[in-house]
Amino acid sequence: MCCRLEFGMKASGMRMVTRSWSREPGAGPRGIGEEAAPLGRGEAAAGTQWHFFAEGRKSHRPMRRQRKAQSLSVAYEASDDEKGEGTELLKVPSWEPQDWQQQLANIRTMRSGKDAPVDQLGAEHCYDPSAPPKNKVKYIKQTSAILQQRYGGDIPASVAELVALPGVGPKMAHLAMAVAWGTVSGIAVDTHVHRIANRLKWTKKVTKSPEETRRALEEWLPRNLWSEINGLLVGFGQQTCLPVRPRCQACLNQAMCPAAHRL
């Protein structure tokens, strides 16, 4: 019901007009010229009170303060599938060996000739006549059959599948990933890398197996060096840092090698 209320204010001689636009449920729209029904005294008072309450509530409503947007920068280490151009890798090792960068530079200098036995290896040199033939022949036959049946004559593209093949360990799996698939999945650690890493104290504590050495190296060595370190240290171990009677006098790292004084 649309109503109009007029009342006089005797003290000031002013007249206040208040309109209420509520209608009864079910009432249709009022036609042009239709007079509103008069209000009772109680209805007029209620309408006036509601008008002042609504106006006061509207004018005294507190304004919300807008929060200033904050930018948050997050650094993370991307997985192999997420790596790409423009990806920023997070590498903050909690420990790293002393003088390792200078030691690595010296080893590169000593290996610059690329004339160690490891540098001459290739597919044509895979057959080793001095190796015990029993297990190697058995592994080669079993692996060849598995590759033909499950992979169409190709090789698996993951470390987990490679180490599941007969006679394939972590070292060969990581080498195969790097050579065959161009993926750096880990550091290939053999007896040479294992020995030299412990002699140079490149592990936080003494390691007892190549696999333990691999995990210790990967904790601090920058990932961009993982593919280089195997061939570098293997050749260094074949020519200079020999298992027995190493040639410390010819080594550029003699002054900073923790093991030089006791070998």
Side-chain angles (χ1 to χ4, degrees):
M1 175 175 62
C2 179
C3 60
R4 178 186 179 99
L5 175 63
E6 299 183 3
F7 61 93
M9 300 180 66
K10 296 180 179 180
S12 60
M14 298 176 61
R15 186 177 65 175
M16 179 173 291
V17 179
T18 304
R19 290 184 177 88
S20 175
W21 295 96
S22 61
R23 293 183 61 84
E24 293 291 342
R30 190 179 62 181
I32 300 176
E34 182 180 351
E35 295 292 336
L39 293 177
R41 180 177 301 177
E43 292 176 343
T48 305
Q49 183 178 5
W50 168 253
H51 173 77
F52 284 117
F53 172 75
E55 290 294 330
R57 185 176 182 182
K58 181 178 179 180
S59 60
H60 292 85
R61 181 179 298 173
M63 297 182 64
R64 294 183 178 179
R65 298 179 59 184
Q66 295 183 353
R67 295 183 179 180
K68 185 178 180 181
Q70 298 180 355
S71 60
L72 180 63
S73 178
V74 179
Y76 65 96
E77 182 174 0
S79 63
D80 289 340
D81 295 335
E82 296 172 341
K83 288 182 174 64
E85 186 176 356
T87 303
E88 180 181 357
L89 300 182
L90 177 64
K91 187 68 177 180
V92 185
S94 58
W95 174 89
E96 61 181 23
Q98 185 179 5
D99 300 326
W100 73 271
Q101 292 180 327
Q102 184 59 51
Q103 292 169 342
L104 180 62
N106 290 339
I107 294 175
R108 285 174 175 156
T109 300
M110 290 182 284
R111 289 279 290 114
S112 59
K114 300 291 183 181
D115 51 359
V118 69
D119 300 314
Q120 309 302 321
L121 292 179
E124 66 276 10
H125 301 290
C126 287
Y127 173 67
D128 184 2
S130 63
K134 184 178 296 185
N135 287 336
K136 287 189 178 290
V137 170
K138 179 179 67 175
Y139 291 152
I140 290 174
K141 287 183 177 180
Q142 292 175 349
T143 299
S144 299
I146 293 173
L147 296 181
Q148 188 66 34
Q149 295 171 2
R150 300 181 184 177
Y151 302 98
D154 205 342
I155 64 172
S158 70
V159 173
E161 292 175 298
L162 285 168
V163 296
L165 298 173
V168 178
K171 180 198 75 173
M172 288 306 302
H174 291 304
L175 283 176
M177 290 296 295
V179 174
W181 299 110
T183 300
V184 180
S185 57
I187 300 175
V189 177
D190 64 353
T191 56
H192 294 289
V193 179
H194 170 63
R195 178 180 70 256
I196 295 170
N198 277 275
R199 284 181 177 177
L200 293 175
K201 299 295 183 183
W202 279 12
T203 58
K204 195 172 184 179
K205 61 180 182 179
V206 176
T207 55
K208 298 181 180 180
S209 67
E211 183 62 13
E212 187 179 354
T213 301
R214 179 189 67 81
R215 292 192 296 266
L217 289 174
E218 290 179 358
E219 287 181 357
W220 66 268
L221 190 67
R223 193 181 184 91
N224 62 324
L225 299 177
W226 288 11
S227 60
E228 175 191 16
I229 205 68
N230 176 265
L232 200 65
L233 295 187
V234 169
F236 178 62
Q238 292 174 340
Q239 292 181 313
T240 306
C241 196
L242 304 175
V244 181
R245 292 193 294 273
R247 300 165 183 170
C248 296
Q249 299 297 328
C251 181
L252 298 178
N253 286 326
Q254 182 183 12
M256 61 184 74
C257 177
H261 67 280
R262 53 185 175 83
L263 292 175

